[in-house]
Amino acid sequence: MPASPPPTAPAAVPRTGTAPHTAGGGALLVVGFVLLSLNTRVAFGQIGPLAPVAGFSPATVSLLGLLPPLCMGAFAPLAAVVRRRLGEERGLWWASLVLVAGAVLRMAGLPGLFAGTVVVSAATAVVNVLIPVLVRGRFPRERTGTMMGVYALAMGAGSALVAALVVPVAQAAGSWRPAVGLAVIPAVLAAAGTAPQVRHRHRRPVAAPGAGPSGRSGRSGRPHVARTALAWSLTAYFGVQTLAFYTTLAWLPSILVQTAGLGRAAAGTGQALLICGVAVGGFAAPVLAARRADQRPHILGAALVCAAGLTGLLLAPAGTALAWVAVLGIGLGAGQALPGVLYAHRGADHDHVAALSTMAQTCGFLLAATGPVLAAALHTATGAWTAPLAALVAALLVCAVAGLRAGHDPE
């Protein structure tokens, strides 16, 4: 174990596995990290483009949009148990195997699609919590932003590629099942890529993370994270940004068909363009934010870019809809990726990072789960997408202010 840093350097927290590794070992870690990242959101970006082609009912689309954030919120606390028993590396590998099983199950008709989505979401919940802890523990602090950016970029690229392919594959096959089956490929690659990391020696946490039953670190005597303004600020920011992300992911093709007059194939292309924007914003935001001690400008910027994209879809001419989709994607990607940097920079040690990540994702995803359903209800009540989009703009502006505490260390 590396020696603990002197009291005068609290930021230099000891890291799990910081012993130098070989170039080959480092390369395998990065490759596995990228392959896992590619897979993390693939399954969730398929339903929007498929809905008009497969003839899914609004209730089916709503439920499939509700399940991922709901299950990721419900299962996020499981990551603390996985981490204590297996460590980050083994935990991520086992999660990747569960992702494969869920991706296969999703091809088994509508019941399988629902059940498989629950399985995939549960595994993704564990991945979401453990990734920032892995980055904090296995990469130098100065590379935190880059690796979180790589995570978001790969996540968006994998989702965009599959979102662009699902409609042509479904049309060629005459069924939506082979189209959702595309998610099996990146899931298998993720399992293979993370397998070499199971050999990494796991250091058991000295105390349960702050999100555990006691909510207190044995080493620092910190109060439960739920009693801190930092944790609630992170939760509010992550929750509303994620609500906007999953609402848009569920309904964007339908919005483009109704408000911009696009055809079904073009609306599916719009979904892929959105996710490309998510990848760009998801890479750029953490790389830029990690260079600074104060991330408040980035928190505000991400929310404002999202609001601009949504306002453009509301007010701009239909011919510019895809341009505003790209803007919205950049903002959503930034808002999804910034919390990873905030966990790593605001967390005092690995356990604190895990506790902040667990609380923000548990509460945040549960909040986000309401987004697709509320948007559908507003659309049904008004017959248009104006009210849902305007409500998202208002929520994003409020969450930007609520998230400012998470963007800096108080004097």
Side-chain angles (χ1 to χ4, degrees), residues 252-391:
L252 180 66
S254 299
I255 292 170
L256 292 175
V257 168
Q258 182 173 343
T259 63
L262 299 185
R264 292 176 177 178
T269 302
Q271 183 88 333
L273 181 62
L274 174 85
I275 299 174
C276 285
V278 168
V280 172
F283 178 75
V287 171
L288 294 173
R291 296 174 181 174
R292 299 183 51 158
D294 187 343
Q295 287 83 38
R296 285 175 293 183
H298 306 87
I299 289 172
L300 287 171
L304 290 174
V305 173
C306 289
L310 291 167
T311 303
L313 287 177
L314 271 175
L315 303 178
T320 65
L322 292 182
W324 289 111
V325 165
V327 171
L328 176 58
I330 291 170
L332 291 173
Q336 288 289 286
L338 278 174
V341 174
L342 300 177
Y343 305 144
H345 279 246
R346 302 288 95 79
D349 54 35
H350 298 131
D351 290 343
H352 195 207
V353 172
L356 290 171
S357 180
T358 299
M359 177 177 161
Q361 296 191 51
T362 299
C363 300
F365 276 123
L366 292 175
L367 172 64
T370 66
V373 176
L374 291 176
L378 280 173
H379 176 259
T380 300
T382 63
W385 288 105
T386 302
L389 294 180

Side-chain angles (χ1 to χ4, degrees), residues 54-70:
F56 293 147
S57 69
T60 295
V61 175
S62 295
L63 183 55
L64 289 170
L66 169 68
L67 283 175
L70 182 64

Side-chain angles (χ1 to χ4, degrees), residues 52-160:
V53 177
F56 293 147
S57 69
T60 295
V61 175
S62 295
L63 183 55
L64 289 170
L66 169 68
L67 283 175
L70 182 64
C71 292
M72 284 191 283
F75 286 100
L78 178 63
V81 178
V82 171
R83 178 174 176 257
R84 286 198 300 273
R85 298 194 176 189
L86 300 176
E88 292 87 49
E89 292 81 5
R90 289 184 178 88
L92 288 169
W93 181 66
W94 278 105
S96 69
L97 293 180
V98 176
L99 282 168
V100 174
V104 172
L105 182 58
R106 280 165 56 90
M107 293 188 291
L110 271 180
L113 183 60
F114 288 121
T117 298
V118 171
V119 173
V120 168
S121 301
T124 303
V126 174
V127 173
N128 287 338
V129 173
L130 294 187
I131 281 289
V133 187
L134 179 78
V135 170
R136 174 74 177 254
R138 298 291 300 275
F139 295 97
R141 184 178 178 86
E142 60 271 16
R143 292 181 62 189
T144 297
T146 300
M147 295 315 299
M148 293 308 301
V150 167
Y151 172 58
L153 178 64
M155 180 170 59
S159 297

Side-chain angles (χ1 to χ4, degrees), residues 150-171:
V150 167
Y151 172 58
L153 178 64
M155 180 170 59
S159 297
L161 177 61
V162 173
L165 290 175
V166 288
V167 171
V169 169
Q171 290 175 333

